[in-house]
Every structure is written in structure tokens, then in C-alpha cells.
């Protein structure tokens, strides 16, 4: 049994209830987490408020920064342990889990360094006045996280909030949250005051909903599905608090006839298979210029056919999907693709010897004759790629923007003018040119447009999102 953390202490749910934690590689229960609910959320929010009024709220910015840096070092000192926890909980290959833990540490390092570098302004105003604009914490911030990258999402959402001096309550995903709890324990060990960082585990509709509508919070950072994001925004509106929504994606690669095919194919295959396609930025559509389709598809197929799913210990290209629901959802889309008459271009492998109860699927590429399939507009969240041809640059732009999502996009071409024109025309929060980093770049502002959400995380901009400005107007004559 793993406990959650409220007011600096490991604790069970007030109800005493628990949730089974299932290993995605074999479908077996291997531990439990507390099934926190409204009462536990209320305790955590009150503990956070008290921390703001106490030791945590009194710390100067550079000391907050030092604590974040210390946590970064502590995470690195526990690198193997955290990677093993993450791999078991999510099913991802050990190498991927190790990368995730490295990125988690990097978030605390980056924002630890940033804590004392957020400066205010002085403004010219009427004679006899001095005006200061100062940045202040929002107060108690709520962070609702998904299961696909628990460690990374924790660092991304929480580190800038702590750097700005907020006290926080995290509701990690019920399907994978063990690394988050362990990091919160390490935070206490390095000296974070009780109540500065609280973790309430539980179901989304119970603990998550209770946190989103709690009148004691001042901000919500939500990462997850579009459906739940909309509910969270409605809950935030009830208390008139700001929220950032990091939601789904259906990101497009646009491959022109003059692209470096080897480079493009390697990045495209890596991006869709990474984390078994359960990545919001998994470039899941490939638009290929018709004049180069045959040549490019040969390179893509050769690269993709090697991709293999296995257990974390096998450490292959990807692991199983997270749970039975996700397994059925991805297989459902594959079925839809076949029924719609899309052709299967190539399938990857599932390694011999994976346990029978695991949620493994074969990575797959479909090809569509035109941009008209549910597989081209809906987020599958599995290792399923769909390719579709285009003729002209204008058509490529139109098709790339032809979904409700707008998270990321990539342009593959050697023509400088075209790279800029297409990148500028993409409806997306991030655009890569001749490269693709699904989820990468702690320093790089990140977030969506359209139904992929709003607000920005990562980079310095996240510290602005997670703080507010106060204007002080001083008349001195
Ligand atoms: P989800 O929306 O089902 O759950 C996300 C979190 O919300 C979980 O902690 C869950 O318990 C909680 N939740 C569920 N119902 C709730 C409710 N009624 N009120 C408050 N909280 C509730 O999403 P998921 O299945 O965990 O994650 C997959 C989705 O997340 C995908 O759509 C993916 O694209 C998206 N995602 C986006 C980003 C990004 O940065 N844009 C990153 C990772 C994942």
C-alpha cells in the first residue's frame, strides 16, 4: 500500500478506501493507493493555505530556488529507483523511464534557477507618483495530471508553481502516480516545509472534481483529455479562477518531396512509437507530397517494421498500453480503419515472451487515399500512424490544419522559404522544422491552440502563468 502526502505526512484516505494499481505488462494488481475524495482534498487545500501563511510563504525567492535545486539533485541521486517505479507503473521501457526521470530533475533545476530571476517593472506615470509592477504567487494552485508521463508532467506543472512561491495540491492520475508520490517524499527530505506540496490520490470524478471546484484554490493547471478539460474549466469558472488546459493532439508531419527522408522517417517513427503512442504530441498524421510518396513510404516502412513492443525489462521501442480501456480503444480504432477501407502499410512487432495478461498492441501504419477518416481527425493515443498524400503547399497547409486540435506540427523540407511559410501557417502551439521532439525541451514554451487547450507551460512563460502582477501606485508629491 502506498500512501499520499498531506501536510508533510504520508497518509491514507479519510474513508480508508483504496484503489488497486494494475501492472500494464501483465494485468495484475501489484499495490494500492488511497482513494482520496472531497474530505482529503479539503485537508490538502487548507494545509497549502497554512503553508503560504507560514514558513513556505516567508521564504525569499532564492531560498525557494535552492530547495528546488536540492530536489533536482535528490531526484538524480534516486534516478534508478524512480525509473524502475515509473517503468513498472506505466509499462514503459526502462530507457524511456530513465529519460523521463532525467527530464523531471531538469524541470526542478531550470525553475530552481529561475525562482529569483523574475523581476518587476517601474512605470512612468503622473508627476509625483512612482509605480511598481510586482509579480506575486497566485496562492494555492491545483495540478491535475495524466498517467502517460507522470514524472515529467509533475515536474512540468509543479516546478514553476513552486518556484513562484505558490503552495500546491496535486491530483495525479489513478492509473499511474507512484513516482509522483515518491518525489513528494524526497521533497520533504530535502526540506520543503509541510503543506507546500500536497498529493491527493484518487479517482478523477471524486478527488479530481473535488479539487477543481474547491473554493480555496486560486489556479488550476490541468493536463489530460479534452472532455475532462472542459469540465475542469467549467469548475474553475464557478470560483472565477484561471486555468491552463494542456489537452490532446493530432499533430501533423508535412513531408515535402525535397525532404531528407531518412531523417524524417526516423523522427516520425520514434515519435509515434514513443510511450506506445500515448503522447499528446505524438505526430500521428503524416502528409506526404504525392510526387515523392512511393520513395518516402519505402524509407518509412523499412524504419517502422523494426519497431517492437515489450516489457519494461526487455527495454525495446515501446511497452504495453496503460490499461484495458486504452487497449480496447486503440484496437477499436484499428478496426475502424480496416472497416473504412484504409490499407495497412506495415505492422511492427510484439516481442516473444511478453506475459499473457499485458495490454500489448503491434505498432501500425495505415495509408488513406484522402484526408477523410476518423483516424485522421481523432486522437487515438496508441502507436497508430496514418499517412495521406497532398499535391501542393497550399493543400498541405489546409490538411494539416483540418482537425480541431492544434498542439504541434512538423515541416520536412530543404527549401528555406517553404519551411517558414508552412511553419507560420500551422495552427499549432509548437512547430518543428526538420526535426521533431515529442514532449522535449524544458526551456521551450509549450501548449495548444484550438481544442488542444490554452495557456503555456515550460520555459520562463510558465512562471508568468503561475503568478499574478500587482501594480503599486505611490503618490509622494
Ligand atoms: P483524463 O482527462 O482522463 O485524466 C486526466 C486527469 O484528470 C486524471 O488525473 C484524472 O483522474 C482527472 N480527472 C478525470 N475526471 C475528472 C473530473 N471529472 N474532474 C477533475 N479531474 C478529473 O486524461 P488521461 O486519460 O489521464 O490522459 C490522456 C489525455 O491527456 C490525452 O488526451 C492526452 O493527449 C492528454 N495529454 C495532454 C498533454 C499536453 O501537454 N497537452 C500531456 C499529456 C497528456
Amino acid at each position: 500500500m502506498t500512501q499520499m502526502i498531506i501536510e508533510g505526512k504520508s497518509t491514507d484516505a479519510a474513508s480508508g478506501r483504496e484503489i488497486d494499481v494494475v501492472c500494464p505488462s501483465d494485468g495484475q494488481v501489484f499495490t494500492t493507493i488511497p482513494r482520496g475524495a472531497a474530505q482529503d482534498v479539503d485537508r490538502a487545500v487548507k494545509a497549502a493555505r497554512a503553508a503560504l501563511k507560514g514558513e513556505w510563504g516567508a521564504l525569499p525567492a532564492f531560498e525557494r530556488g535552492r530547495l528546488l535545486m536540492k530536489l533536482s539533485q535528490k531526484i538524480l541521486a534516486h534516478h534508478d529507483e524512480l525509473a524502475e517505479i515509473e517503468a513498472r507503473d506505466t509499462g514503459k521501457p526502462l530507457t524511456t523511464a530513465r529519460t523521463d526521470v532525467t527530464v523531471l530533475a531538469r524541470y526542478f533545476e531550470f525553475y530552481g534557477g529561475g525562482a529569483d530571476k523574475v523581476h518587476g517593472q517601474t512605470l512612468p506615470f503622473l508627476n509625483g507618483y512612482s509605480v511598481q509592477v510586482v509579480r506575486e504567487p497566485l496562492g494555492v494552485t491545483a495540478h491535475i495530471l495524466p498517467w502517460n508521463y507522470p514524472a515529467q508532467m509533475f515536474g512540468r506543472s509543479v516546478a514553476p508553481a513552486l518556484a513562484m512561491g505558490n503552495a500546491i495540491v496535486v491530483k495525479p492520475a489513478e492509473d499511474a502516480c507512484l513516482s509522483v508520490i515518491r518525489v513528494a517524499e524526497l521533497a520533504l527530505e530535502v526540506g520543503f516545509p509541510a503543506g507546500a506540496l500536497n498529493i491527493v490520490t484518487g479517482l478523477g470524478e471524486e478527488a479530481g472534481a473535488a479539487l477543481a471546484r474547491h473554493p480555496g484554490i486560486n489556479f488550476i493547471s490541468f493536463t489530460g483529455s479534452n472532455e475532462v478539460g472542459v469540465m475542469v474549466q467549467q469548475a474553475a469558472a464557478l470560483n472565477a479562477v484561471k486555468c491552463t488546459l494542456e489537452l490532446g493532439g493530432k499533430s501533423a508531419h508535412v513531408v515535402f518531396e525535397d525532404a531528407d527522408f531518412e531523417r524524417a522517417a526516423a523522427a516520425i517513427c520514434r515519435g509515434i512509437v514513443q510511450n506506445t503512442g500515448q503522447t499528446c504530441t505524438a505526430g500521428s498524421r503524416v502528409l506526404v507530397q504525392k510526387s515523392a510518396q512511393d520513395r518516402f513510404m519505402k524509407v518509412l516502412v523499412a524504419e517502422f517494421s523494426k519497431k517492437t513492443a515489450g516489457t519494461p525489462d526487455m527495454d525495446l521501442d515501446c511497452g504495453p498500453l496503460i490499461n484495458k480501456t486504452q487497449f480496447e480503444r486503440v484496437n477499436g480504432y484499428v478496426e475502424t480503419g480496416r472497416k473504412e477501407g484504409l490499407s495497412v502499410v506495415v505492422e511492427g512487432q510484439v516481442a516473444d515472451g511478453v506475459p499473457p495478461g499485458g495490454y500489448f498492441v503491434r505498432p501500425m501504419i495505415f495509408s488513406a487515399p484522402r484526408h477523410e477518416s476518423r483516424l485522421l481527425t481523432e486522437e487515438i493515443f496508441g502507436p497508430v500512424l496514418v499517412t495521406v498524400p497532398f499535391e501542393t503547399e497550399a493543400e498541405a497547409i489546409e490538411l494539416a490544419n483540418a482537425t480541431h486540435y492544434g498542439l504541434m506540427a512538423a515541416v520536412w523540407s530543404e527549401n528555406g522559404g517553404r519551411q517558414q511559410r508552412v511553419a507560420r501557417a500551422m495552427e499549432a502551439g509548437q512547430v518543428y522544422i526538420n526535426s521533431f521532439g515529442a514532449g522535449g525541451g524544458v526551456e521551450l514554451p509549450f501548449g495548444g491552440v484550438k481544442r488542444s487547450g490554452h495557456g503555456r507551460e515550460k520555459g520562463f512563460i510558465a512562471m508568468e502563468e503561475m503568478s499574478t502582477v500587482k501594480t503599486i501606485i505611490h503618490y509622494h508629491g
Side-chain angles (χ1 to χ4, degrees), residues 424-437:
R424 291 300 185 98
M426 290 291 169
E427 294 168 358
Q430 267 190 355
V431 182
Y432 278 85
I433 299 171
N434 289 344
S435 115
F436 193 74

Side-chain angles (χ1 to χ4, degrees), residues 287-371:
L287 315 182
V288 193
Q289 195 154 28
K290 211 166 192 169
S291 50
Q293 198 175 5
D294 291 346
R295 282 187 293 128
F296 175 69
M297 290 307 283
K298 270 198 198 109
V299 182
L300 188 70
V301 165
E303 180 71 26
F304 196 85
S305 57
K306 298 179 230 155
K307 300 294 177 193
T308 309
T311 59
D313 290 351
M314 292 176 179
D315 209 13
L316 302 171
D317 302 295
C318 60
L321 295 163
I322 188 76
N323 58 26
K324 189 158 177 277
T325 309
Q326 193 60 19
F327 180 73
E328 286 168 358
R329 176 189 160 94
V330 172
N331 283 321
Y333 273 108
V334 169
E335 196 53 33
T336 302
R338 291 186 200 278
K339 277 197 197 133
E340 285 183 357
L342 307 192
S343 23
V344 176
V345 177
V346 59
E347 286 184 79
Q349 324 292 325
V350 172
D352 291 339
V354 299
Y359 307 117
F360 294 94
V361 292
R362 288 156 73 106
M364 188 176 273
I365 301 185
F366 280 105
S367 138
R370 64 196 78 81
H371 200 278

Side-chain angles (χ1 to χ4, degrees), residues 73-83 101 182 186 189:
Q73 291 301 312
K74 190 82 171 175
I75 288 165
L76 292 176
H78 288 257
H79 198 279
D80 287 350
E81 178 201 351
L82 287 165
V101 174
R182 185 68 188 119
L186 297 177
E189 286 178 27

Side-chain angles (χ1 to χ4, degrees), residues 145 147-148 156 171 174 204 208 223-225 246-248 280 379:
L145 308 179
W147 43 258
N148 56 349
R156 185 175 101 182
K171 208 306 275 174
E174 51 272 42
T223 309
S225 62
E246 296 284 0
L247 310 178
C280 53
E379 185 181 47

Side-chain angles (χ1 to χ4, degrees), residues 120-123 130-134 469-474:
Q121 294 173 306
T122 56
L123 301 186
S130 290
V131 178
Q132 300 157 257
V133 180
V134 293
V469 290
K470 179 184 282 171
T471 309
I472 301 174
I473 304 115
H474 183 182

Side-chain angles (χ1 to χ4, degrees), residues 15 38 44 66 85 97 112 144 163 279 348 356 364:
S15 66
R66 268 187 196 158
I85 292 173
I144 302 178
T279 305
M364 188 176 273

